Amino acid sequence: MGILKVENLRHSFKDKILYQNAKFEIFKGEHVGIVGQNGTGKTTLLRLLVGEIVPDKGQIRWQKNIKIGYLDQYADVDQTLTIFEYLKTAFYDLYAVENELNKIYENMSENLDEKTSQLASDYQNFLLNRGFYEIESTILKVANGLGISAIGVESLLGNLSGGQRAKVILAKLLLENPDVLLLDEPTNFLDVEHVNWLTEYLKSFEGEFLVVSHDFDFLEKITNCILDIQFQKITKYNGNFSKFLEIKGLRRENYIRQFQAQQKEIKKHMDYIAKNRVRASTAKQAQSRMKALEKIDVLPPPQTPPKPNFKLVSLPISAQKALKVHGLEIGYDKVLLPKISFEIRAGEKVVITGFNGIGKSTLLKTLIGQIPAIGGSFKFADSVKIGYFEQSLSWKDPNESAFEIISEKFPKQSQQEVRKNLAGCGVMAKNVFQKIGTLSGGEQSKVKLCILTNTKSNFLILDEPTNHLDADSKEILKQQLVKWEGNLILVSHETTFYKNWADKVINLNKVRSNRGGF
C-alpha cells in the first residue's frame, strides 16, 4: 500500500452525488494536483481525507504515523497574537523541550547526577538536530518568501485582511513541515513573486502533497500526477498538468471512436433484425442476432461538462475620459499608499497589480463609493455605469439560495428568466435552490457573475474574478472581457489571464516605492 489508499468512495451533498465507487492510491514521492469543474467536490475530497467530514461509503486509509498538514484558510486564530508569535507556534514541540531543558539547568546546582546530565545532553542534541536555534531565521525566510514581511511580523493577526491572514496560515503550515501537505487554492492570495517562491518550495518538498488549484501554470510546474474529478469518478493520471490534458484528450477521442463504432454495429444488427424477423426463412438468423445484441456491453454516450456563457453587453460611453484620479489617498484608519494619480480613457482596459495587502481591493472599494477617500479626488464621466465584482465570497444572508439572490436583485425577471440566467452562467439546476453558503467557491463566483451579466454597465470593476473558476469558465470569461467594448479595471494575480489584451498595467508597488502616479 502507498501512503494513502481510497476505495469504493461514495459521498453526496443533499441530492447531489459527488463520487460513486471512486478509488485511487497515492505513493511516496507523488506531488498531486486535484482538478475538476466547479462543484465536482475538490475541496470536499480534501476535507474527507483529513477526517473533517465522513464519507457516505468507502474507505480512506493513511499510512500509520504519518503527519498530515491541511491548509484551512478560514481557521480560527488568536487575534491578539502578532504574526511572529503565531508562526512560532509551529514549533511548539521544540519549545516544550527547551522548557524542560531550562528546568534541568535551573536545578543543576541541587541535582547534578549522571542521569540528569545525560538527559540535558540528549535534549540539547535534539534541539540542535531539529534546527531549534535557527527558528527565527527559518520563520523570516518563509515570511519573506510569501510576502508576509512586507506586512510586518509584529502586526496583530486581528488587524490583517483576509488575504494576509490566509498567507500567514499557509506560512505556519509550511513551517510545521508535515509528511503530507493538503493545500486548497494556496495561490489565491499570493502575488506572482510569492507564487514563484511557493512553486520552488513545493518542487523541492521531500514529502507528498495534494493541491487543489485553478492556477494551471502553477500545477504544471509542481505536479507529477493529477487526480481528475468528473462525472462522479476520480481518475488518476501520471505526469504534470499538460501531460494530463494530452492523455485525457486522447482517451476521450478513443472512447468516442469506440462508442461510434459500437453504435454503428448496433444499428447494423437492429436493421437486419427489423427486416428479417418476420420472414420464416431468416427468422432464425434474426433471433440469433437479437441474442448477440443483448450480450453487448453498451457504452454510455460521451459526456460533456456544461459550459457557462457569460454574456457581457456594454452600454456606450459618450465621454473621452471615463475616469480621472488625482492625488487619491486610500485606506481605513490610516493611509495605505502615497497619493495616486491616473486617467482611464473611454474603452481602456486597465489591470491593477501589487502585493497582497497593498491596497488593491481598497482602491476598488473607494472608486465604487463603498468606503470614503481619505484625500484627493476621483471623477467618473457622467455616462459611466459601473458593474462590480467583489472578491470576497460573503453574502448578506448565506442561507438565501442563488434563485432568491437573483430574484431580489432583479425583481422584474420571471422565475423562468432567473433560472435561465443562472444556468447560462454555469449554475447547475440542482444548485439553484441550495443555500448560497453551501455552494463551492466556483459556484458562488458564477452567481456573482450572473449578477454582473444582468447589470447594465459600461465600466466593469473586477476584483480577482478568476480565483475560484475552473478552466472552461475562466477561458470563457476571458473571451468576454476581450470582446468587452466598455471600460475595465481588473485586479488579478494571474498574469496569463490578462497579459495579451490589457491596455495598461498599474503597479501599486511603484506607488509604495514613492515613484509617483501614472
Side-chain angles (χ1 to χ4, degrees):
M1 175 183 153
I3 64 161
L4 169 65
K5 190 169 187 178
V6 175
E7 295 180 295
N8 302 317
L9 182 65
R10 185 188 190 280
H11 192 71
S12 59
F13 184 83
K14 294 190 175 180
D15 60 343
K16 179 182 180 181
I17 298 174
L18 295 176
Y19 333 105
Q20 185 77 274
N21 297 322
K23 60 180 180 179
F24 63 89
E25 196 164 358
I26 303 301
F27 298 95
K28 190 171 180 61
E30 289 191 325
H31 292 174
V32 186
I34 302 176
V35 300
Q37 294 285 319
N38 292 140
T40 52
K42 299 183 293 295
T43 295
T44 301
L45 179 60
L46 293 187
R47 295 179 66 199
L48 285 164
L49 294 181
V50 295
E52 197 172 282
I53 53 178
V54 178
D56 299 338
K57 185 181 176 183
Q59 291 185 320
I60 298 172
R61 290 184 291 169
W62 285 98
Q63 181 180 307
K64 288 183 179 180
N65 302 317
I66 203 160
K67 183 181 176 184
I68 303 166
Y70 172 52
L71 175 61
D72 182 359
Q73 297 177 357
Y74 307 101
D76 290 330
V77 296
D78 186 343
Q79 305 285 311
T80 65
L81 292 177
T82 66
I83 292 174
F84 193 75
E85 289 169 338
Y86 175 72
L87 295 180
K88 284 174 67 176
T89 64
F91 305 96
Y92 72 93
D93 55 333
L94 300 185
Y95 283 107
V97 172
E98 183 203 32
N99 189 47
E100 292 300 315
L101 180 61
N102 288 337
K103 286 179 182 178
I104 292 174
Y105 286 153
E106 288 171 6
N107 298 324
M108 267 192 170
S109 58
E110 301 172 5
N111 186 10
L112 194 58
D113 57 50
E114 185 178 342
K115 184 178 179 181
T116 304
S117 297
Q118 184 59 50
L119 183 59
S121 177
D122 290 344
Y123 281 159
Q124 185 69 51
N125 288 332
F126 176 80
L127 292 175
L128 283 170
N129 292 333
R130 293 286 297 275
F132 176 75
Y133 299 103
E134 290 82 44
I135 281 179
E136 184 170 336
S137 62
T138 302
I139 288 175
L140 292 177
K141 180 181 177 182
V142 174
N144 287 331
L146 293 176
I148 296 168
S149 297
I151 306 167
V153 292
E154 296 306 318
S155 300
L156 291 176
L157 294 178
N159 294 335
L160 303 184
S161 69
Q164 291 170 335
R165 181 173 167 274
K167 287 203 288 189
V168 173
I169 292 172
L170 173 59
K172 178 175 178 285
L173 179 62
L174 299 183
L175 289 167
E176 288 171 343
N177 195 31
D179 301 313
V180 181
L181 284 167
L182 303 183
L183 306 178
D184 191 3
E185 297 287 2
T187 65
N188 269 3
F189 299 102
L190 298 180
D191 307 310
V192 175
E193 59 266 38
H194 307 135
V195 172
N196 291 339
W197 182 89
L198 181 61
T199 298
E200 293 305 314
Y201 179 94
L202 292 176
K203 282 167 65 176
S204 61
F205 185 67
E206 294 182 357
E208 295 72 41
F209 59 73
L210 290 86
V211 178
V212 171
S213 180
H214 291 107
D215 186 337
F216 302 127
D217 291 337
F218 176 64
L219 288 180
E220 174 74 10
K221 294 171 183 173
I222 65 167
T223 58
N224 54 31
C225 58
I226 298 289
L227 290 180
D228 180 37
I229 307 177
Q230 190 176 50
F231 307 130
Q232 303 172 2
K233 301 295 181 186
I234 302 175
T235 307
K236 185 177 178 183
Y237 295 82
N238 291 322
N240 60 12
F241 186 74
S242 58
K243 189 68 176 177
F244 147 71
L245 290 177
E246 179 188 347
I247 296 172
K248 184 178 180 179
L250 290 172
R251 286 184 182 178
R252 178 171 175 78
E253 289 173 8
N254 186 50
Y255 184 87
I256 291 171
R257 282 195 294 269
Q258 289 179 0
F259 173 78
Q260 291 172 341
Q262 189 184 68
Q263 288 296 302
K264 187 176 179 181
E265 185 68 18
I266 290 171
K267 186 178 183 304
K268 180 180 174 182
H269 284 305
M270 294 295 291
D271 289 346
Y272 182 89
I273 292 167
K275 289 178 182 178
N276 296 284
R277 65 190 303 177
V278 294
R279 296 180 187 172
S281 60
T282 57
K284 191 172 182 181
Q285 291 94 321
Q287 187 67 27
S288 177
R289 292 274 187 113
M290 191 173 291
K291 287 181 180 178
L293 196 61
E294 289 171 354
K295 292 179 181 179
I296 292 177
D297 187 9
V298 180
L299 297 173
Q303 293 177 289
T304 302
K307 294 182 180 181
N309 184 17
F310 308 119
K311 287 187 177 179
L312 297 167
V313 181
S314 173
L315 296 171
I317 292 182
S318 56
Q320 199 173 21
K321 290 180 181 177
L323 172 63
K324 185 173 182 178
V325 176
H326 180 70
L328 183 63
E329 293 178 301
I330 62 170
Y332 290 86
D333 299 327
K334 60 181 181 179
V335 176
L336 290 175
L337 292 164
K339 295 177 180 180
I340 308 168
S341 298
F342 61 89
E343 289 183 350
I344 298 179
R345 301 177 68 83
E348 274 193 316
K349 297 169 184 176
V350 178
V351 175
I352 306 286
T353 64
F355 62 74
N356 280 309
I358 195 170
K360 301 187 296 291
S361 296
T362 305
L363 173 59
L364 300 194
K365 289 176 181 177
T366 304
L367 293 177
I368 66 166
Q370 198 172 100
I371 60 174
I374 294 177
S377 64
F378 64 91
K379 176 82 167 92
F380 286 98
D382 292 338
S383 58
V384 162
K385 302 292 182 186
I386 294 173
Y388 175 56
F389 181 98
E390 185 177 7
Q391 177 183 170
S392 171
L393 294 180
S394 58
W395 301 89
K396 183 176 66 176
D397 182 357
N399 292 316
E400 279 193 320
S401 67
F403 181 86
E404 290 170 324
I405 290 168
I406 301 301
S407 296
E408 289 173 12
K409 194 78 175 174
F410 307 100
K412 292 183 179 180
Q413 292 185 5
S414 67
Q415 291 189 16
Q416 186 177 1
E417 286 174 321
V418 170
R419 296 189 67 164
K420 181 181 177 182
N421 288 330
L422 284 166
C425 287
V427 181
M428 298 181 70
K430 63 179 72 175
N431 297 331
V432 165
F433 296 102
Q434 197 171 302
K435 291 178 182 178
I436 191 72
T438 65
L439 299 181
S440 71
E443 290 169 311
Q444 291 186 53
S445 291
K446 288 174 181 176
V447 175
K448 285 180 176 285
L449 287 168
C450 185
I451 294 172
L452 194 69
T453 58
N454 282 274
T455 301
K456 292 182 179 179
S457 63
N458 50 24
F459 201 124
L460 297 179
I461 297 180
L462 311 181
D463 192 0
E464 297 284 7
T466 63
N467 267 357
H468 302 281
L469 294 182
D470 55 60
D472 288 337
S473 301
K474 198 182 297 186
E475 182 59 31
I476 291 166
L477 178 60
K478 181 165 81 171
Q479 291 170 9
Q480 286 293 311
L481 295 179
V482 170
K483 292 191 292 184
W484 173 253
E485 294 180 354
N487 281 99
L488 169 67
I489 294 179
L490 170 71
V491 167
S492 177
H493 69 278
E494 293 189 61
T495 308
T496 53
F497 181 73
Y498 62 78
K499 69 177 181 180
N500 294 324
W501 54 269
D503 294 312
K504 64 181 177 184
V505 176
I506 295 176
N507 188 346
L508 294 186
N509 293 342
K510 294 182 179 179
V511 178
R512 187 135 186 187
S513 300
N514 293 313
R515 283 189 251 172
F518 302 87

